[in-house]
Amino acid sequence: MHIPRSPVGRGRFAAMAVAATICACVLSAPAPAPVRAPAPTRPPVPGPADGPAPVDAAPPLDWSPCPETPGFDCATAKAPLDYRRPTGRAVDLAVIRHRATGPGPRLGTLFFNPGGPGGAGTQALPQWYELFPEELRQRFDIASWDPRGVGGSTAVRCFPTTDEAYEWLERIPFGFPVGQSETEAWVDAYSDLGRLCEKRDPELLRHVSTTDTARDLDRLRHAVGDEKLSFLGVSYGTFLGATYANLFPDRVRAMVLDSNIDPRAWVDGGAGADPRLTTFLREDVDLGSAATLRQFLDHCGRAGADRCAFSAGGPEATRAKFERLMLRLQERAQGSWTYARTVTTVLSSLYAIDPGWYDLAWTLEDLWVRRPPQEPVAPEGTLPYPAFEQIEAIRCSESPNPRDPRRFPELAEFAYGRAGDLGRAVAWASEPCATWPATAASSYAGPWNRPTVNPVLVVNTLYDPATPYQGALAMTRQLANARLLTVEGYGHSSVVNPSLCVDDYERRYLVDGVLPPPGATCRQDVRPFGESRPRGGVGTGGGGTAGGTNAVAPGGNRVDGPWTGRLPSTCSGPTAGAAARGARVPDSTGGEGPCEERKACPSGRRGTERR
């Protein structure tokens, strides 16, 4: 989801914000007590169902060393803009890989999508690479790419200059609008953005859907010489994976979907529909984020102030303290820290336990005692093009949202009523789609249960603020041949909230084709607030700016949360800020321990070092 945020003051850097994508589940679902078992799978539906469009064989990629990323190779692939017209206009796809390191025979290429929509794989893969289990790095070339419309590929770019993009961002209220004046400014700005984008390249806007990207992915599979696809998709990448699996069910070798979107809720009748609820409310992101916030406050309260700065000595007292702080900020901002900025910061900081939860506790405590929270340092040098419109170009073209902007204040109050303060941010995150001018020319809307030649592995934490656990239940139920691995923990994805147990199961599945047993569970490697921590978090060197929120990640990478100097996010969620679509979700860990010994650790390993 995309929630504008202006970090430090105003001005060019002030316009930066987090960009995140999110999902949730059924709109009528009760308040999110985690469900433990998937519902029975429906009988599979065979048949082509908008199956593969015929394309010419993709030529091999011409790899060369990446000039700015030592150890990686880069290439550019060509794909038809419109697969129904393969000889027409073409788009470029920027591709990156790290060769298999050995020892052991190479198994092919493992394609990785970091989420979004709008996540640039050429930037994410070098930052994530060392997090892949060692055996995967030994046996696979690991590759990613910038999807069409994004980054170094043929990109949606609605402003002629970077300065003009930041000037537009200055018009957006921080986080989400509060009051009539801010609401009018928000709606007017996004209406203008849609017109600007339509004017620049209307043809491209209609050909950046997930379906187009799934066809591109199959073309890349062919270009690297793999008979079948091996794939790891995180957050929005799970929807991409589900789309590929149903367009090309006979070409799935192995597919891991981590932090899952409910496919039916995402498409909800197709791109041209006018639904009652927004994408993220249909996906229950408001409920998932509220449930995760409660876990944060309860763990903080039990930990005490020596390990969680915001603790009031117990869960109930800490929750009451948070509610009083929100009410106080609604009445009067504290410097640049408005109610909306604080709510958005809370939401994005829940993605990663370490250091995100530690840093969030310090930020809330600073506000509580009326002390200015520590701010990130503005990046040096020329600011990158913020590329915020690339998120909307993909999501708004294929996932339907209410088309009347006047409905969003009511939707925000609906979400507040069922999910509290975070609900308002989640509801407003989809408003840019109300006036978006383009509808995808090709958008797969189901069925989702075409039998794949090999099973799919679905992974999800119980308390995920961006892709709630119910989304994984829905994904497992809707796919014809899937197995769910439940992570008894917190945060968005097992990549940024590590678990050796999950690593072991994914390694055995991707290398040997062995699924976890039915009902398998894992725990995370680190407990929330499990130790006293200096301000700034572990691995950040402490200090005032370490792990700060609302910053722009180096290189202008899009991030689904606050930049912590560590990893990009993986998500599809509501913490997308209008500005810096350059911040990212921190690397974090949480849970009750590394693995659950019963079914959790295939190799019986424990510890915190990834192998």
Side-chain angles (χ1 to χ4, degrees), residues 361-551:
W362 277 110
T363 296
L364 293 174
E365 182 64 13
D366 286 341
L367 292 169
W368 178 255
V369 299
R370 293 180 167 82
R371 179 173 58 217
Q374 293 177 342
E375 300 279 9
V377 175
E380 297 179 359
T382 303
L383 286 173
Y385 186 80
F388 48 84
E389 67 269 53
Q390 293 170 10
I391 299 171
E392 318 303 353
I394 300 169
R395 179 168 56 87
C396 296
S397 73
E398 69 180 15
S399 183
N401 282 277
R403 300 295 293 175
D404 185 353
R406 293 172 297 181
R407 291 192 54 202
F408 280 81
E410 176 188 349
L411 288 167
E413 293 314 296
F414 164 78
Y416 173 77
R418 73 177 190 171
D421 298 285
L422 301 186
R424 288 172 169 147
V426 171
W428 275 107
S430 295
E431 193 283 331
C433 295
T435 52
W436 190 255
T439 299
S442 177
S443 182
Y444 184 80
W448 299 101
N449 59 350
R450 298 187 65 203
T452 50
V453 66
N454 289 304
V456 174
L457 177 59
V458 174
V459 182
N460 224 94
T461 59
L462 284 173
Y463 293 98
D464 185 324
T467 51
Y469 184 67
Q470 291 93 329
L473 297 176
M475 180 70 83
T476 307
R477 183 171 58 248
Q478 291 171 35
L479 295 179
N481 190 10
R483 176 70 51 81
L484 174 62
L485 175 60
T486 297
V487 184
E488 294 181 340
Y490 318 90
H492 187 51
S493 95
S494 293
V495 182
V496 296
N497 297 283
S499 165
L500 285 175
C501 169
V502 172
D503 282 358
D504 276 340
Y505 276 132
E506 291 183 354
R507 174 188 56 80
R508 292 184 66 191
Y509 167 72
L510 288 166
V511 172
D512 301 320
V514 177
L515 284 169
T521 62
C522 285
R523 292 182 179 177
Q524 293 168 322
D525 293 344
V526 176
R527 299 192 312 271
F529 305 114
E531 62 184 18
S532 181
R533 189 67 64 79
R535 188 161 204 170
V538 121
T540 63
T545 62
T549 57
N550 309 332

Side-chain angles (χ1 to χ4, degrees), residues 95-106:
V95 191
I96 189 170
R97 75 172 178 188
H98 194 292
R99 297 294 301 271
T101 63
R106 177 181 171 276

Side-chain angles (χ1 to χ4, degrees), residues 6 8-16 166 170 383:
S6 316
V8 185
R10 302 297 290 177
R12 292 181 62 191
F13 181 62
M16 297 311 245
Y166 284 106
E170 291 286 352
L383 286 173

Side-chain angles (χ1 to χ4, degrees), residues 3 37 81-82 89 143 198 233 242 271 305 378 381 427 452 559:
I3 298 180
L81 175 71
D82 184 348
R89 176 181 170 184
E198 177 79 357
T452 50
V559 181

